[in-house]
Coordinates of all heavy atoms in Angstrom, one line a residue:
S24 N 34.3 -34.7 -17.8 CA 33.2 -33.9 -18.5 C 33.3 -34.3 -19.9 O 34.3 -34.8 -20.4 CB 33.4 -32.5 -18.3 OG 33.3 -32.1 -17.0
G25 N 32.2 -34.0 -20.6 CA 32.1 -34.3 -22.0 C 31.2 -35.3 -22.3 O 31.1 -36.2 -21.6
D26 N 30.6 -35.3 -23.5 CA 29.9 -36.4 -24.0 C 30.4 -37.1 -25.1 O 30.7 -36.5 -26.3 CB 28.4 -35.6 -24.5 CG 27.4 -36.5 -24.9 OD1 27.6 -37.8 -24.8 OD2 26.4 -36.2 -25.3
L27 N 30.8 -38.4 -24.9 CA 31.4 -39.2 -26.0 C 30.4 -39.6 -26.9 O 29.5 -40.2 -26.6 CB 32.0 -40.3 -25.3 CG 32.8 -41.4 -26.2 CD1 33.9 -40.8 -26.9 CD2 33.2 -42.7 -25.5
L28 N 30.7 -39.2 -28.2 CA 29.8 -39.5 -29.4 C 30.5 -40.6 -30.2 O 29.9 -40.9 -31.2 CB 29.6 -38.3 -30.2 CG 28.4 -38.2 -31.1 CD1 27.1 -38.1 -30.2 CD2 28.5 -36.9 -32.0
D29 N 31.4 -41.2 -29.9 CA 32.1 -42.2 -30.8 C 31.2 -43.4 -31.0 O 30.7 -44.0 -30.1 CB 33.4 -42.8 -30.0 CG 34.6 -42.9 -30.9 OD1 34.3 -43.3 -32.1 OD2 35.6 -42.6 -30.6
G30 N 30.9 -43.6 -32.3 CA 30.0 -44.8 -32.7 C 28.5 -44.5 -32.5 O 27.7 -45.3 -32.6
K31 N 28.1 -43.1 -32.2 CA 26.9 -42.9 -31.9 C 26.2 -41.7 -32.8 O 26.9 -41.0 -33.4 CB 26.7 -42.4 -30.4 CG 27.3 -43.4 -29.4 CD 27.2 -42.7 -27.9 CE 27.9 -43.6 -27.0 NZ 27.8 -43.0 -25.5
V32 N 24.8 -41.8 -32.9 CA 24.1 -40.7 -33.5 C 23.3 -40.0 -32.4 O 22.7 -40.7 -31.6 CB 23.2 -41.3 -34.5 CG1 22.5 -40.0 -35.4 CG2 24.0 -41.9 -35.7
K33 N 23.2 -38.7 -32.4 CA 22.4 -38.0 -31.4 C 21.9 -36.7 -31.9 O 22.4 -36.1 -32.7 CB 23.5 -37.7 -30.1 CG 22.7 -37.1 -28.9 CD 23.7 -37.1 -27.8 CE 23.1 -36.6 -26.5 NZ 24.0 -36.5 -25.4
R34 N 20.7 -36.4 -31.3 CA 20.1 -35.1 -31.4 C 20.4 -34.3 -30.2 O 20.0 -34.6 -29.1 CB 18.6 -35.2 -31.8 CG 17.9 -33.8 -31.9 CD 16.4 -34.1 -32.4 NE 15.8 -32.7 -32.6 CZ 15.1 -32.0 -31.7 NH1 15.1 -32.3 -30.5 NH2 14.7 -30.8 -32.2
L35 N 20.9 -33.0 -30.4 CA 21.2 -32.3 -29.3 C 20.0 -31.5 -28.8 O 19.5 -30.8 -29.7 CB 22.5 -31.3 -29.5 CG 23.7 -32.0 -29.9 CD1 24.8 -31.0 -30.2 CD2 24.2 -33.0 -29.0
K36 N 19.5 -31.6 -27.6 CA 18.3 -31.1 -27.2 C 18.2 -29.5 -27.3 O 17.2 -28.9 -27.6 CB 17.9 -31.4 -25.8 CG 17.7 -33.0 -25.6 CD 17.3 -33.4 -24.2 CE 17.0 -34.8 -24.0 NZ 16.7 -35.2 -22.7
R37 N 19.3 -28.9 -26.9 CA 19.3 -27.4 -26.7 C 19.2 -26.8 -28.2 O 18.6 -25.6 -28.4 CB 20.7 -27.0 -26.1 CG 20.7 -27.2 -24.7 CD 21.9 -26.6 -24.1 NE 22.0 -26.9 -22.6 CZ 23.0 -26.5 -21.8 NH1 23.9 -25.7 -22.3 NH2 23.1 -26.8 -20.6
S38 N 19.8 -27.4 -29.2 CA 19.9 -26.8 -30.4 C 19.1 -27.6 -31.6 O 18.9 -27.0 -32.7 CB 21.4 -26.8 -31.0 OG 22.0 -28.0 -31.1
G39 N 18.8 -28.8 -31.3 CA 18.2 -29.6 -32.3 C 19.2 -30.2 -33.4 O 18.7 -30.8 -34.4
L40 N 20.4 -30.0 -33.1 CA 21.5 -30.4 -34.2 C 21.6 -31.8 -34.0 O 21.5 -32.5 -33.1 CB 22.8 -29.7 -33.7 CG 24.0 -29.6 -34.7 CD1 23.5 -28.6 -35.7 CD2 25.2 -29.1 -34.0
L41 N 21.7 -32.4 -35.3 CA 21.9 -33.8 -35.5 C 23.3 -34.1 -35.8 O 23.9 -33.8 -36.8 CB 21.1 -34.4 -36.7 CG 19.5 -34.2 -36.6 CD1 18.9 -34.6 -37.8 CD2 18.9 -34.6 -35.3
V42 N 24.0 -34.9 -34.8 CA 25.4 -35.1 -34.9 C 25.6 -36.7 -34.8 O 24.9 -37.3 -34.2 CB 26.2 -34.4 -33.8 CG1 26.1 -32.9 -34.0 CG2 25.7 -34.7 -32.4
A43 N 26.9 -37.1 -35.3 CA 27.2 -38.4 -35.2 C 28.8 -38.4 -35.1 O 29.5 -37.6 -35.5 CB 26.8 -39.2 -36.4
G44 N 29.5 -39.5 -34.5 CA 30.8 -39.5 -34.3 C 31.4 -40.9 -34.8 O 30.9 -42.0 -34.3
L45 N 32.6 -41.0 -35.4 CA 33.3 -42.0 -35.7 C 34.7 -41.8 -35.5 O 35.5 -41.1 -36.3 CB 33.1 -42.5 -37.2 CG 31.8 -43.0 -37.5 CD1 31.5 -43.2 -39.0 CD2 31.7 -44.5 -36.8
G46 N 35.3 -42.0 -34.3 CA 36.6 -41.7 -33.9 C 37.6 -42.8 -34.4 O 37.3 -43.7 -35.0
G47 N 38.8 -42.5 -34.1 CA 40.0 -43.5 -34.4 C 40.6 -43.2 -35.8 O 40.1 -42.5 -36.6
S48 N 41.7 -43.9 -35.9 CA 42.5 -43.8 -37.2 C 42.6 -45.0 -37.8 O 42.1 -46.1 -37.4 CB 43.9 -43.3 -36.7 OG 44.6 -44.3 -36.2
M49 N 43.3 -45.1 -39.1 CA 43.4 -46.2 -39.8 C 44.4 -47.4 -39.0 O 45.3 -46.7 -38.3 CB 44.1 -45.9 -41.2 CG 44.4 -47.0 -42.1 SD 42.8 -47.8 -42.6 CE 42.2 -46.5 -43.8
L50 N 44.2 -48.5 -39.2 CA 44.9 -49.4 -38.4 C 46.4 -49.4 -38.9 O 46.7 -49.7 -40.2 CB 44.3 -50.9 -38.6 CG 44.9 -52.1 -38.0 CD1 44.7 -52.0 -36.4 CD2 44.4 -53.3 -38.4
Y51 N 47.3 -49.2 -38.1 CA 48.8 -49.1 -38.5 C 49.8 -49.9 -37.6 O 50.7 -50.3 -38.0 CB 49.3 -47.6 -38.7 CG 49.1 -46.8 -37.4 CD1 50.3 -46.6 -36.6 CD2 48.1 -46.2 -37.0 CE1 50.3 -46.0 -35.5 CE2 48.1 -45.5 -35.8 CZ 49.2 -45.3 -35.1 OH 49.2 -44.5 -34.0
N52 N 49.4 -50.1 -36.3 CA 50.2 -50.9 -35.4 C 49.4 -51.7 -34.4 O 50.0 -52.1 -33.4 CB 51.3 -50.0 -34.8 CG 50.7 -49.0 -33.7 OD1 49.5 -49.1 -33.5 ND2 51.5 -48.2 -33.1

């Protein structure tokens, strides 16, 4: 379950909320 937003922009239909996601950390290993 769950909606992966990594690297995406989306408008949530139920709320009209505008969300975007950029996961991950700084490159270290």
Side-chain angles (χ1 to χ4, degrees):
S24 298
D26 187 0
L27 177 63
L28 199 67
D29 223 320
K31 302 174 185 177
V32 181
K33 185 172 183 178
R34 181 176 184 268
L35 303 182
K36 292 182 179 179
R37 291 186 183 181
S38 62
L40 203 63
L41 304 178
V42 293
L45 287 169
S48 71
M49 184 66 72
L50 182 66
Y51 63 96
N52 69 2

